[in-house]
Amino acid sequence: MSAEVFEPYQVFVRRDALDAMEHVGTVMAASPEMAVLVARQNFLRRDAAVGLWVVADADMHSANTDPQFFAEELDKSYRRVDGYSDNARRWKRFKQQALQLQDIVRDLESKEG
Amino acid sequence: MRTKEPDIATTEDVREPVASEQQRVFLERIDRGEKIEATDWMPDEYRLLLIKFIQMHGVSEIMGAFPEKEWVPKAPTLRRKLGMMSKVQDEMGHGQLLLSVVQELGRPLGLTREQLISDIFTGRTKFHNVFHMPAPSWADAGVIGWLVDGAAIVSQAALLDTSYAPYARVLKRICAEESFHMQHGESIVLSLAEGTASQRQMLQDAVNRWWESLIFFFGPPDVSDAARKMIRYRIRTKTNEELRQKFLSRYVPRIHALGLTIPDPDLHFDPLSGLWHYTAPDWAAYGRMVRDNTGPMSQARIALRQQAHEGQRWVREAMRAGAAQLAMEGARA
Amino acid sequence: MAQDDKAARGPSVAEGAALVDLLLQMADDDLVLGHRHSEWLGVAPDIEEDVAFSSIAQDEVGHAALYYELASQLGAGDADRLAFDRPVGERRSAAFVELENGDWARTAMRHFLYDAFEEVRLDACTRSGWQPLQRAATKVRREEFYHRLHSRTQLHHLAKAGGEAFARLEHALADLWPYVASLFDLGPHAAELRATGVLPADAAALRSAWEAVVVPELSELGFGVPACGGTDATSAAHRGAHHPALAELLTTMRAVLDVDAAAASW
């Protein structure tokens, strides 16, 4: 049986300055420096990117694999936008519309601002 | 170190009545169309089926680099040279992606990358029949890209909905790159079809050479025990014959449109059954060739891979030793 | 200002010949080394490196195609014909890139020495008074960043391992060194290229810039660097004194073309 010579590294890519790092795969390499070099060509020979991370597999920690770790069973609408959809109806009484984030973004983008 | 032999033939049937609670829950997940992750509990049988199947897929990509590699130095224009280099690079890249999936699956069994590669020359893993065959002309480079990759895309696209999520993710990227290969192969083939009489003859000869191998590529029509289990686990969802039929429907009209003939006088579409009829290759003989590595190019290509891997083990070991030395000096500085 | 005027005017007939010769030196070097690198396809020491090194090979061939295209625009003929049809006697590549690959150590060492050379030649070209070359060199120089990083990182790993790897690298360096001089032969138009500002450097300046980069690094890694000099008077010191392996390489490159001379396209 053949023992491993290289070590696995997990590879993460940032495609654009506004994107989060995205996991794209694994490479085998002799060192973190070589892992970065081979990951560049194994995962980004066609796609553009602005960032690349490699993390030694041994340093990766993941969430508990039991799906219960991600359980969200009860109503959590109080922490979401759609939990407040009745605002629009209630504003009508005051002859106003509910304010949305995109209204503010639009204000800031408009030249008159 | 491997602690278990992935001997699928002797594993018990998955639908045995005494299946454990874990197995029952797992099969329910499969039936609901859920995707399985490497860290999820899975039956040994599912793991071993995946390892064997994906290792063969990955190794076939790596061995599939060889027939085309021969045409990189001979490619007749700068653009073709670059296209061929890029294509062979993708084959190796696909091998890299697939073997990484196998390594993760095989970790509980102690499977290493080194082992997955040396399994090629110890005969513990197999590669697809087409990569045992010679590619003696430039037209073969075109036909491999056009028809062999065409067949590969049919079978890989059919796996996109596989139940094993890491495989599905890798296949998504592989299929995207294969569509470049398809265009690249078609471009070569079209140039030959538009060319001189001798270029057209070269193309026809290559089609003649590859036809039977292409028919065999999808495997025998009867559904083996292993295939039945793969379908039960939704590792794959289509049978060999379904895939072969899809391939024939897509490609036979195109081959004829180029004015080429197909070396099978019995090949025809039967409108009643909605199926293509073709002359069956000698399934057993092809099967033996793949199992025993006795194709025309099997041994030469296996020797190349063995030399690359074992003959250059010193490079990998030196890279590792050098890395340790550099880290030590870095820590001192 | 004078340079802008010249760029607008285009090169004179005499400058054109000098320019074409320089472009063919650069193109032939990159094509031949790209071809050599591509011989590692499928057989590199590990799968990830196979993929990475292939990108470097593709870049070299791609850079060659760019220089052939520039030569073509100066009336030297079709880029593919320049790449495929010229006999050995007309080739302008250096023997350094023509030599067979040998083992991975020789490949790694040549990669290191050549990409350092490309860097200094391209640096000079980025100061060229001929804008098309200046622009091409600026682009190529950006792609060469990765090549340099890859070649240096790999060489440092292998050299630091000591033992067999170090011995193989030492051997490779000794094999390659006599051919280094061939890279710095800028051809019969060198004086004119410099005088007209097309290539604002001479061979001695390029060589000392190169030595300033590679010699300290090699020494630090423990390699005994052979005697350095402005010009080595070895038989391989001139472009045109091709390595015997070039003829075979060119025959291989023509293998498909020679099957059907009447074919118009492939």
Side-chain angles (χ1 to χ4, degrees), chain B residues 69 73-76 78 80-82 85 89 92 96 113 191 196 198-199 305 312 314 316 318-319 322 329, chain C residues 35 39-43 45 48 51 54-55 57-58 80 84 157 160-161 168 253 256 260 263 265-266:
Chain B
K69 166 196 166 61
K74 302 173 185 173
L78 289 165
R80 292 281 185 241
K81 198 176 184 73
L82 287 164
M85 286 162 85
Q89 178 185 41
M92 297 305 284
Q96 194 277 338
R113 170 70 68 82
S191 290
T196 63
S198 85
Q199 283 176 303
R305 178 96 301 270
Q312 298 184 106
W314 70 268
R316 296 190 300 283
M319 292 296 288
E329 290 174 13
Chain C
H35 181 107
E39 291 172 349
W40 283 107
L41 281 169
V43 291
E48 278 83 347
V51 173
S54 175
S55 282
Q58 287 168 48
D80 275 322
F84 287 86
H157 279 65
K160 288 288 179 184
R168 282 176 182 259
M253 268 184 61
V256 173
D260 185 355
S265 105
W266 288 95

Side-chain angles (χ1 to χ4, degrees), chain C:
Chain C
M1 287 301 248
Q3 285 182 356
D4 288 349
D5 287 352
K6 191 171 63 203
R9 201 175 64 232
S12 69
V13 175
E15 281 168 25
L19 253 173
V20 167
D21 190 66
L22 174 65
L23 289 166
L24 292 180
Q25 290 173 33
M26 296 168 71
D28 289 352
D29 279 351
D30 278 359
L31 176 64
V32 171
L33 193 62
H35 181 107
R36 286 284 182 236
H37 283 352
S38 78
E39 291 172 349
W40 283 107
L41 281 169
V43 291
D46 68 272
I47 309 296
E48 278 83 347
E49 179 60 27
D50 211 297
V51 173
F53 203 57
S54 175
S55 282
I56 292 170
Q58 287 168 48
D59 284 351
E60 298 296 2
V61 174
H63 299 163
L66 177 61
Y67 304 138
Y68 285 130
E69 201 47 58
L70 289 178
S72 180
Q73 286 164 17
L74 293 172
D78 174 72
D80 275 322
R81 302 286 63 80
L82 289 172
F84 287 86
D85 289 357
R86 289 153 54 232
V88 174
E90 291 176 25
R91 295 282 163 168
R92 303 294 292 134
S93 47
F96 182 85
V97 296
E98 296 163 358
L99 188 69
E100 295 94 337
N101 281 334
D103 63 3
W104 188 256
R106 192 201 268 179
T107 294
M109 184 58 86
R110 175 156 64 178
H111 176 30
F112 171 76
L113 297 174
Y114 182 74
D115 285 310
F117 162 73
E118 279 227 273
E119 198 167 63
V120 301
R121 182 167 64 182
L122 284 167
D123 279 346
C125 291
T126 59
R127 302 191 306 272
S128 174
W130 190 53
Q131 270 187 17
L133 178 60
Q134 183 266 324
R135 278 194 293 265
T138 305
K139 276 190 187 175
V140 171
R141 183 74 173 71
R142 287 176 58 80
E143 287 196 350
E144 288 288 336
F145 179 89
Y146 177 86
H147 297 201
R148 276 288 282 156
L149 188 60
H150 179 274
S151 74
R152 295 184 60 224
T153 309
Q154 181 171 253
L155 183 73
H156 281 245
H157 279 65
L158 288 175
K160 288 288 179 184
E164 181 189 3
F166 188 84
R168 282 176 182 259
L169 286 167
E170 248 181 342
H171 198 251
L173 184 60
D175 285 347
L176 290 164
W177 200 262
Y179 297 100
V180 162
S182 63
L183 293 168
F184 293 95
D185 172 15
L186 300 180
H189 306 285
E192 189 191 338
L193 288 168
R194 189 174 176 212
T196 54
V198 168
L199 186 70
D202 61 14
L206 291 186
R207 174 124 192 190
S208 63
W210 177 79
E211 282 176 3
V213 171
V214 301
V215 172
E217 195 162 1
L218 287 171
S219 304
E220 192 200 307
L221 290 172
F223 295 106
V225 180
C228 291
T231 49
D232 304 29
T234 64
S235 59
H238 298 285
R239 287 175 186 273
H242 293 291
H243 190 276
L246 179 66
E248 196 190 329
L249 185 151
L250 294 177
T251 306
T252 303
M253 268 184 61
R254 291 198 51 85
V256 173
L257 288 168
D258 287 341
V259 166
D260 185 355
S265 105
W266 288 95

